[in-house]
Amino acid sequence: MTTSAGGIRRDEILREIGIGVRWRLRAAAPDAADPVPQAAANSAVAAAPAVSRARPGLPPGPGWDELKAQVASCTACGLHAKRNKTVFGVGDEQADWLFVGEGPGADEDAQGEPFVGQAGKLLDNMLAAIGLRRGENVYIANIVKCRPPGNRNPAPEEAQACSPYLQRQIELIRPKLIVALGKVAAVNLLGREASIAALRGQVHEYRGIPLVVTYHPAYLLRTLNDKAKAWQDLCFAVDTLRGLQAAAQTGAG
Ligand code: URA
Ligand code: SF4
């Protein structure tokens, strides 16, 4: 990092998250302050290797079209009553990367697509900072598919009612790494209460799939000093995935 967490200015961090991607990824690894780089030694495997998508282990259940139709007409929790559009999720249905947010806000509810408002712009910059683009090897979804009124957190029973849809999306995508954006996503995917501060910097698991945690972009828009930590988390995510791919290539994992 060229900036420390203290006194970071919004435009500095936006610049940092928005540009200079490849240079920064290399430069970030040796930074002693980052809890990151154990896998960086393997980083010759920078590009995602092609992966067989044969699906012997796919549990029975709906395919994409059926799942989308189910969500579009879902009334399984109270959030259906005030929604305009359901927000199913978007992206590469065979992505290595899955980013999971909380639930639609006003913009998403109007457009039917996740992360299209202000937080979405920051998420796009965060993706760009690690060389990713919405829709290319990336899928974006939420814990709940309908907007909680007033942008409140989804209630546990709402998240619970909606969880089979995300679970099936994950079965169909079979991502290599899940990034939980914020506490609601992390707590619901991990099934236990904990703070982001306590969960970040470690590789967790959702049904056998590695999962890392970072701050929600909407939170980062309000709490500028934590953007530096989010950047560390993204580097950690990249290194985690590289480490997994390197292990898979050498047959060690
Ligand atoms: N915040 C979220 O958690 N998800 C969205 O889709 C938009 C904002
Ligand atoms: Fe159905 Fe999920 Fe919408 Fe609730 S939030 S109505 S469970 S799609």
Side-chain angles (χ1 to χ4, degrees):
M1 303 285 299
T2 54
T3 44
S4 63
I8 284 179
R9 291 189 23 224
R10 180 193 189 92
D11 55 339
E12 287 172 338
I13 288 296
L14 282 175
R15 230 181 295 129
E16 175 157 295
I17 283 185
I19 62 170
V21 175
R22 286 172 201 293
W23 177 83
R24 285 206 173 273
L25 272 179
R26 263 184 254 119
D31 188 325
D34 289 357
V36 181
Q38 63 279 41
N42 298 324
S43 60
V45 201
V51 177
S52 164
R53 294 286 176 182
R55 301 306 309 276
L58 180 66
W64 282 110
D65 290 348
E66 191 183 344
L67 191 64
K68 287 172 189 173
Q70 286 177 358
V71 168
S73 63
C74 181
T75 56
C77 86
L79 294 182
H80 84 274
K82 291 191 172 163
R83 75 180 174 220
N84 288 300
K85 291 189 174 168
T86 56
V87 178
F88 180 78
V90 72
D92 179 349
E93 293 173 353
Q94 301 190 329
D96 287 342
W97 292 83
L98 171 65
F99 287 78
V100 180
E102 179 178 321
D107 296 310
E108 292 77 20
D109 175 68
Q111 295 182 41
E113 185 170 329
F115 284 102
V116 291
Q118 277 302 111
K121 291 202 179 82
L122 180 54
L123 178 60
D124 285 339
N125 286 343
M126 291 164 74
L127 295 176
I130 53 173
L132 297 175
R133 278 169 60 135
R134 182 181 290 244
E136 292 178 12
N137 203 22
V138 175
Y139 198 92
I140 302 172
N142 282 309
I143 293 293
V144 291
K145 314 301 191 199
C146 302
R147 183 191 184 201
N151 296 343
R152 65 167 170 77
N153 286 357
E157 63 271 20
E158 293 160 351
Q160 185 66 36
C162 212
S163 66
Y165 298 130
L166 181 57
Q167 184 184 320
R168 187 61 180 168
Q169 285 174 300
I170 295 173
E171 285 173 359
L172 290 168
I173 298 166
R174 210 165 51 168
K176 298 243 185 59
L177 185 67
I178 299 172
V179 181
L181 298 167
K183 180 170 164 141
V184 167
V187 162
N188 280 290
L189 289 171
L190 296 176
R192 67 187 168 95
E193 183 63 31
S195 68
I196 293 296
L199 294 171
R200 51 188 291 275
Q202 302 161 50
V203 183
H204 306 275
E205 226 178 69
Y206 171 86
R207 293 172 169 254
I209 299 170
L211 181 150
V212 299
V213 163
T214 191
Y215 296 98
H216 192 287
Y219 167 84
L220 293 172
L221 289 171
R222 300 189 300 267
T223 315
L224 301 181
N225 282 350
D226 280 341
K227 279 193 181 162
K229 293 183 191 158
W231 171 245
Q232 287 181 341
D233 294 339
L234 293 173
C235 291
F236 181 67
V238 168
D239 278 342
T240 299
L241 190 49
R242 282 180 184 168
L244 291 167
Q245 289 171 332
Q249 281 212 332
T250 59

